[in-house]
Amino acid sequence: MNASAHAHDTALPSLLAQGERRLSAEQIYPRLFDAILEQRLAPGSALTEQALGDAFGVSRTVIRRVLGRLSDQQVIVQRPSHTARLAAPDPQHARQILSARRLAETTLISLAAKRSRPAKIRQLRELVARERQHHEQGQRCTAIRLGGEFHLKLAEMADNVPLARFLNGLVPQTSLIIAQYEARPCSHCAWEEHAAIIDALEDGDGEAALALMHEHLDHIEAKLDLND
């Protein structure tokens, strides 16, 4: 067994609370993603179905669904006849991901502003409330993941399936990049900026929402150290 696989196996038992019952794929996904963001699983670590199944007390079939979702989001890399591995974007790849994400997000936010509905706004506010709660409790990585889910929910509001799928492969990778390359905390909070974007959408002010999105993405990039 190589060093990264060994580090992976020793980290797995802490992912399941003592006495906890069988979990579904939907419950395992955020726990595994949070562990990745917390870097309890190092970039490049091997993720075997058997080890994960043992850790969560579920079948390999359930774990395969979780890994399939993470693979679709390019958080893990799966190749035929190879063990899945956690993605480890280098600085150049990280910059490319952020650039592609900005192009997608600025288009989607303009579309979302034209399709804003009370029910969608309510869903966004509930998500940001959870993000704020975890931030204030010091659960940084869970807040990062929920912040990513906010952007994916915005993409749903825009009602452009191809663009939403494209963003689905960029936002989770950005969360991974933030966890890996964040150099310094910023004075602003992501949830506050998300709340301001919601306010603009609720007011039907597409220009304000677009400007706030650009500012938000600027802040994300500013706190990263992507020097080669």
Side-chain angles (χ1 to χ4, degrees), residues 94-173:
R95 285 191 290 268
Q96 292 172 350
I97 290 169
L98 294 170
S99 177
R101 175 178 173 174
R102 185 182 290 269
L103 289 172
E105 290 258 40
T106 51
T107 300
L108 285 165
I109 193 68
S110 297
L111 293 173
K114 299 174 184 177
R115 293 165 174 77
S116 174
R117 299 290 185 273
K120 297 292 185 181
I121 293 294
R122 184 167 57 253
Q123 290 176 3
L124 289 173
R125 292 201 185 281
E126 290 171 355
L127 189 53
V128 171
R130 290 171 56 205
E131 180 188 2
R132 176 182 181 177
Q133 178 183 13
H134 286 285
H135 171 80
E136 292 178 345
Q137 292 174 348
Q139 297 170 339
R140 168 180 169 270
C141 291
T142 301
I144 290 174
R145 175 175 53 79
L146 291 172
E149 290 183 12
F150 167 82
H151 288 268
L152 296 179
K153 186 65 69 175
L154 271 181
E156 289 180 17
M157 183 186 293
D159 197 24
N160 185 303
V161 174
L163 267 178
R165 286 178 178 170
F166 180 52
L167 195 67
N168 186 59
L170 297 172
V171 169
Q173 288 186 85

Side-chain angles (χ1 to χ4, degrees), residues 208-223:
L210 179 59
L212 288 166
M213 179 61 75
H214 272 298
E215 183 179 0
H216 177 52
L217 296 176
D218 286 343
H219 287 159
I220 290 176
E221 295 176 18
K223 65 183 180 180

Side-chain angles (χ1 to χ4, degrees), residues 9-185:
D9 288 342
T10 57
L12 287 177
S14 65
L15 300 179
L16 187 63
Q18 186 175 4
E20 199 161 35
R21 299 194 175 199
R22 183 184 180 94
L23 301 176
S24 67
E26 291 71 25
Q27 292 171 313
I28 292 171
Y29 167 82
R31 296 184 184 214
L32 183 55
F33 201 166
D34 286 355
I36 291 168
L37 296 182
E38 291 163 7
Q39 297 189 17
R40 283 190 274 163
L41 302 172
S45 293
L47 300 175
T48 66
E49 293 176 3
Q50 187 62 55
L52 287 168
D54 291 345
F56 287 108
V58 297
S59 69
R60 293 175 63 177
T61 300
V62 174
I63 294 300
R64 199 171 295 128
R65 289 202 294 270
V66 178
L67 293 181
R69 181 176 177 185
L70 291 170
S71 178
D72 289 342
Q73 296 175 327
Q74 300 179 58
V75 173
I76 67 171
V77 179
Q78 285 185 309
R79 293 184 296 168
S81 303
H82 287 75
T83 300
R85 289 192 174 275
L86 180 59
D90 60 27
Q92 180 180 4
H93 189 199
R95 285 191 290 268
Q96 292 172 350
I97 290 169
L98 294 170
S99 177
R101 175 178 173 174
R102 185 182 290 269
L103 289 172
E105 290 258 40
T106 51
T107 300
L108 285 165
I109 193 68
S110 297
L111 293 173
K114 299 174 184 177
R115 293 165 174 77
S116 174
R117 299 290 185 273
K120 297 292 185 181
I121 293 294
R122 184 167 57 253
Q123 290 176 3
L124 289 173
R125 292 201 185 281
E126 290 171 355
L127 189 53
V128 171
R130 290 171 56 205
E131 180 188 2
R132 176 182 181 177
Q133 178 183 13
H134 286 285
H135 171 80
E136 292 178 345
Q137 292 174 348
Q139 297 170 339
R140 168 180 169 270
C141 291
T142 301
I144 290 174
R145 175 175 53 79
L146 291 172
E149 290 183 12
F150 167 82
H151 288 268
L152 296 179
K153 186 65 69 175
L154 271 181
E156 289 180 17
M157 183 186 293
D159 197 24
N160 185 303
V161 174
L163 267 178
R165 286 178 178 170
F166 180 52
L167 195 67
N168 186 59
L170 297 172
V171 169
Q173 288 186 85
T174 304
S175 297
L176 197 63
I177 290 165
I178 292 171
Q180 186 174 345
Y181 290 105
E182 187 174 38
R184 59 188 180 280

